[in-house]
Structures are given as C-alpha cells and as structure tokens.
Amino acid sequence: MSTGTERHEFQTEVRELLDLMIHSLYSHKDIFLRELISNASDALDKLRFEMLSRPELTPEGELEIRLEADKDARTLSVHDNGIGMSRDEVVANIGTIARSGTREFLRAMHDSAAAEGPDSLRDRSVGGLGGASRAPQEMIGQFGVGFYSSFMVADRITLVTRRAGEATATRWESTGDGYTLDDAERVSAGTTVTLHLKPKDEEDGLKDYTDALTLKDIVKRYSDFVTYPIRLKAETLNSMKAIWARGKDEITEEEHREFYKHISHDWNDPLEHISVHVEGNFEARALLYIPSKAPFDLHMRDGVHRGLQLFVKRVFIMDDWRELLPPYLRFVRGVVASDDLSLNVSREILQKDRQVQAIKRHLVRRILAALKEMKEQRPETYGTFWTEFGAVLKEGMISFEDSHDKILDLVLAPSTESAPPIGLKDYVARMKDGQDAIYYMTGTSRDAAARSPHLEAFRARGWEVLFFVDPVDELWLRLPRQFEGKTLVSAATSDLKIGTDEEKAREEEARKASEESLKDVLLALRAALQDEVKDVRLSTRLTESPACLVGDAGDLSPQMQELLRRAGQEVPKVKRVLELNPNHQVMTKLRQLHALDAKDPRLAMYAELLYGQALLAEGGALPDPAAFSRRLTELMLQT
Ligand code: ADP
Ligand code: MG
C-alpha cells in the first residue's frame, strides 16, 4: 500500500511559529538537542507504558537514546527505540499544532510586536490573550519550542519512524517550507531524527554539533536526569538518576530548571519548586513546579492539561494533571512518583483509588502551604505568581473543596489606596475606627471600578475599598465570605450605611428629612423609570455624583450578567435601585420643576438622563445610546 512521495504544506501556524522561533531564539541554539532528547524520552515512556498490556512490543535491546554524529557529512542523528509514529501520526504531530486558540494567539503576538512595543498591553489582566504583551521569546516558550527548534541549526531534517506493532515505516523530510512523506525501511520500531547541519560559522555562534565534547556538554547540562541512557558511541552521557528519587538538597537550581523544562514543555524558568514526600501506609514523592508565565490557553476550555507526570515503579503512566490536582491548581507542573500504587492503572481506577485521592489531598495542602510561605517571605515573587495565576487560584473558592479559607488568605487585590495588590491581612490591619467590614468593588478593570460613584462616601471617610476585577470574582463573592471575623461587603450593595453608629443615625435622620421634602419628586421619578429600576431612593453614600445604581445582596451584578450572556446563557433582566444624592443641586432643580408643574415632561426626561448617567459612571453600557444622546441634544437646545 505504498503511497509514494507526498508533498505537504505546513499549517500556517507552524510556519509562523517557525519564523518567530528562528528569529527570537537564535541565541539559545543548543536547546534543539534538549528538545529532541525530550521527545525521544517521551516516546520511550509511552512504549514502556504500552508494554504493560502488550508485552510483545518489548524491543530486543535496552530502551535507549543514541546520538550519532558524522563530521564529514555534517549530520547529527538522534535515535530512539520508543513508541514511534504511524504515517497519520506523523502528519498530525509534526507539521500541525493542535492546540486550540493558537492562531488567535499568534496573531495577537504579531500585532503587539508591531504596535507600541512589548509593554503596551502589560496592564491587561491574566488570561485570554493577555500574554500577547510579552516579548516573543517568552511567549514562544508557551508552545514548548519542541521539534521545530532544530531548524535553528539544520537546513534539512529527516525523520524516519516506525510505530511499535506496525510493519511499515515512514520518512518525513523538510527544509523548513513544507515537507514530504515517503514509505521507508526501519529494522525495528522507534524514531530517528537526522539533522543536516547548517554550515559552521563561528561568527554566528554556531557550535560544531558533530563534536563529541560539545554534545556531551549539552547533554550534561540539559538532559542529565533523563531516565534512559543517552549514548554516544559506547559512552553513556547522562547519570540517569531519577531526579525525584534524590534528596531535596541534592538537586541544584540548574537541575530543577532543566527538569522543569523537560516535563512542562515550557521554555521559561520555573518560578518555584516544591518537594513533597508522602509517608505513612504508602509512600509517594512529588517534585512540583510553579511556572513563571501562564500559558496562553490556561483559561480556555480545552487548554493545557499536560505537565504533571505520574510514575509508578519508575514507569510513566500519564501526563495529565486532572487526576492528581483540582482544576484550580492546573497551572502546577511536575512529577508524582510512587512505588506503592498498582501499575495496572487506568483513568477510571485513578479516580477511585483511595491512595491517589490521598496523594491529591496531600499535594493540595503542600501547594497552598508553599504559596502562603511565598506570600509571606517573598512578596515580590508572590506578586508575579498572583499576576499570572491568581485568577485561576480563586476558582478554588467556587469548588466543592474545603480550602476556601486558605485560598482567601492567599488573595491579593488592588485597592483605592494601593495600585499594587494587597492581601486581606494588610487591609484589615489598616481598617479605620468604626469600620467593621472589608469593602470591595467589582468591575471590569481597576480603572473602571475606581471611577464608580459608589466609592465617594468611602473616599470621604478615608476607608479603603478593594477592587476585584477578574470574572471569577463575581462568582466566589456571591457566597458570604469572612476573613479574620470580618465580612466582605460590596460597596455597591443597596441600603449600605457606613460610618460610626452616630454618623449613621445622623445621616439617616437627614435622609428622612430630605425624603419628606422630596417625596413627590421621587414618586414622579419612580413612575418614569418603572421599567428600568425597582426603586428610586435617596442615598447617604454619594457626596459628588447625583446618582448611582445599587443591587441587593445576592443579585447578579451587571458584569456577571454580561459574562453569562457571553457564555450563551439566558439571563433575566435584573432591576436595580437608583440612588439619588439629596444634597445635589440637581435635586433642588427637580423639586422646583415639580413644584411649578407636576406634569412637566422634563421630569421624565431628567429621570432617564440620571439613570443613564449612573450607568455610564459605573462603566456600563446604555440600553439605548441613541435615545440618550437625543435627550442631551434636546436639553442643550433648551435654555
Ligand atoms: P511536544 O513534545 O511539546 O509535544 P514537539 O514539537 O517536541 O512538541 O513534538 C511534537 C510531537 O511529535 C510530540 O508530541 C510527539 O507526538 C511527536 N514526536 C516527536 N518526536 C518523537 C519521537 N522521537 N518519537 C515519537 N513521537 C515523536
Ligand atoms: Mg517535545
């Protein structure tokens, strides 16, 4: 069933990625070898796992990775006798990037590089395409530079591979612009990648990758922990010590960095490493890493799930966090190893296995404790963590978990007093006399929330208000939350009274008095706005603005409604309360109008304008902008 030579184009994303890589990673050429060895090691892991159920796949020789260099031909080959690939798998894995959202991400990356430079979008919140504000080098790391990095040193690459259990082999060849596929011969299963190296050019910094010393050096540096022998002629270049089996203090920072890159497929250094040792009825070890950058698809439904590997009795079982961590810790990478679990594991078994569940609980506890320590001891590092992963961590407070309080303790948020985010402990420490709650404001961004009229009374008193501006905030804040005995209260709740008891009493009295004098005006306004709001009341919270909108505790906020609508959900219209500032001149004017002619059509018009203003002030959208601007024009023409 020979299909002859087929010519294929690279997927557009692959071409773009290749282009970016060659132009942004040129000073790190050596890493191509780490990537090829990493792939070979993955392929051996997969074979060893498949051998558990299909012993006939066991190769004749030892599982190994072999390097072969030819100085004269200027070629370097990396052989493995791992799982190999079928022809279809070659097409799917090499030449295609399957991660959803890649195209959008690459486009955003191009756009941001073309725009005002790398920092222009840095203020955006984590997630979505926020990562596009970073330098290309950092961003490209999110894909795991992978196989294509070989094009930094080679102008032609040949890959010959044969899937374990299959008889035919496939040859893939590329000069960087599309590729060809052919049938091929290979004595046994596995993969050989041969690089036809670019001409050696010292000035360009290109090393001689056919030189034994150079190769040894690179393997030692980047791939020492690989658990299969990496051989050059008869010599084994790596020590093969499983890194997680070693003592905590025996691992250097550099080893951590390289091991992290190997398992995470990330190009950047990790932010933090956590060693875990579970002891008791059974034993398990874990080496966990917190990345320094969020991958671009962290928030996407089908986003990354690789990067946490499970080994049982040294056999790789799977590379997926979903059985070992709750979703809100999905950013953690690393390896979990135990000799006490059964090798006979499947995903279904893992979900029920009591020991696996115990490991999971242990990991959660250790990760949260490590984060707490980081927050207290190294606030700057924690700040980086929070920027990248805070929004994901907060998802933990809407899960069926018992860690809500621990997570709340880790929360940071900017405030009216502080642009850099602060913790709740700091907030509580500087609460003012008479203040008995933790106040917050939600919104789409810190700037939008900061402009809200709801904050006027807080500003007037010097009371700090926290800003929660991630979409997930609306969700976890719907449940009553307490920190150190203080309740978290939205500054946009209706009937909110702040101040000392005396102040509250005094204000309430003043409000009653104005209510009496404005009673008829309020009635007229209510009638005019009955389709828009559920009530029109006088407020004690406004000092400058004439009006604001407030919701009842537990009501969906406008941001939340918008979010649900975008997610395709039907959201009933939630009416809020329009609060008016009784001391504002506008109110005096309305009372005069009403006194002169209770049926003055301008009353209804002003009511709508006040409502529109309140919406605009909180950064919301007008239901009918055209009507609003018509009203304004009419108003300008009246004198
Ligand atoms: P990643 O390793 O992050 O998936 P790569 O670009 O390094 O990305 O490799 C792409 C895919 O090609 C791998 O996921 C794997 O499926 C396949 N592949 C690469 N090298 C090998 C190999 N030596 N043996 C088997 N499959 C391989
Ligand atoms: Mg790889």
Side-chain angles (χ1 to χ4, degrees), residues 35 38-39 42 146-147 265:
E35 295 298 326
S38 185
N39 286 349
D42 290 348
F147 181 80
H265 303 253

Side-chain angles (χ1 to χ4, degrees), residues 115-131:
E116 304 118 83
D119 284 334
S120 56
L121 296 168
R122 201 169 283 274
D123 204 26
R124 278 160 66 164
S125 60
V126 201
L129 299 176

